[in-house]
Amino acid sequence: PFRVEEGIQPIEAKTAIMWILKTLYSEQWSKLSMETVLENTLQLLLLADNPTPRDIRLLLLDDKFRQKLIDKAKTRADISVSLLDYWVKQYNPLSPSKKDDRNQPVFNRLGALLNSPYMELMTCHPKGLPFRQLINDKAIVLVDLKGNAIRGEVGTLGTILLEQYYLGCVGLGELTGKDVIPKLFPGLLF
């Protein structure tokens, strides 16, 4: 779910990924520190080359990897000062046990994307469906989510596919009037 096509801003991608996670965990979502850690983690992580859900642990546990991304964020105009403040002034100074307290709820929620070898393969694969190109080409895309191996993950995969479709639509730019429906929905979405 972290594959972001060219032209998509990190903040748009972060919002879409947060939507996935909030949808998957709507029953047990915490708006307090867990959401803060996750939002800041995703926004910083999306600056990495080819980030995957596996990299969340790396960002939160590896000081050198995190600092490399913080340094990269400092050079970008599309990154907020509050994101940098979070990492430099709030997170980095924490003791290891305080970091662990903040990180554990995030790690627990990663299970939906990483605990099954099939889900890990699908969510961490370097290539995804190029939805923007498929929309432009008016392609018909059929996705078969049946099978014993992924039976328990069908809802998660469906949610991820919708998020990727949404990001493909965002990448088309602003559409108005009669262009909206034919461009975004050239066929039916089931």
Side-chain angles (χ1 to χ4, degrees):
F2 296 178
R3 298 173 207 98
V4 180
E5 294 188 46
E6 192 175 319
I8 305 293
Q9 296 299 315
I11 194 76
E12 293 168 327
K14 186 262 314 177
T15 300
I17 295 167
M18 286 297 292
W19 175 79
I20 286 176
L21 296 171
K22 285 180 179 182
T23 300
L24 295 176
Y25 294 106
S26 61
E27 300 284 322
Q28 64 240 58
W29 190 258
S30 166
K31 280 195 158 270
L32 301 173
S33 66
M34 191 271 305
E35 184 169 343
T36 301
V37 172
L38 195 51
E39 282 203 4
N40 285 293
T41 298
L42 291 173
Q43 195 169 348
L44 189 62
L45 185 59
L46 288 167
L47 299 178
D49 296 327
N50 301 312
T52 72
R54 273 184 255 159
D55 295 322
I56 290 175
R57 289 187 75 81
L58 183 63
L59 178 94
L60 293 172
L61 298 175
D62 186 322
D63 294 337
K64 289 179 183 176
F65 180 72
R66 185 172 52 254
Q67 189 58 51
K68 181 176 134 188
L69 292 178
I70 290 169
D71 292 342
K72 187 173 186 177
K74 288 177 181 177
T75 67
R76 296 192 44 155
D78 61 344
I79 299 298
S80 70
V81 172
S82 65
L83 176 70
L84 293 171
D85 283 349
Y86 174 80
W87 291 107
V88 174
K89 296 179 182 176
Q90 293 179 41
Y91 187 86
N92 282 348
L94 292 173
S95 69
S97 65
K98 292 277 189 194
K99 286 179 184 174
D100 189 49
D101 289 343
R102 284 197 184 185
N103 296 343
Q104 201 55 53
V106 173
F107 295 157
N108 292 341
R109 280 155 182 82
L110 282 177
L113 305 175
L114 300 175
N115 283 350
S116 154
Y118 301 106
M119 284 298 294
E120 183 177 21
L121 180 63
M122 290 181 220
T123 60
C124 297
H125 193 277
K127 295 192 185 290
L129 290 171
F131 277 106
R132 186 182 330 150
Q133 185 63 45
L134 293 168
I135 292 166
N136 282 333
D137 293 346
K138 296 183 173 119
I140 296 171
V141 178
L142 302 173
V143 179
D144 184 359
L145 295 178
K146 68 179 180 185
N148 291 336
I150 62 166
R151 183 176 300 165
E153 287 89 9
V154 168
T156 302
L157 289 172
T159 303
I160 291 168
L161 285 169
L162 285 174
E163 176 260 351
Q164 292 294 299
Y165 179 79
Y166 166 77
L167 285 176
C169 293
V170 169
L172 293 171
E174 191 168 325
L175 302 174
T176 58
K178 63 181 174 130
D179 294 335
V180 174
I181 298 301
K183 189 75 165 176
L184 297 184
F185 302 102
L188 295 175
L189 180 63
F190 292 97

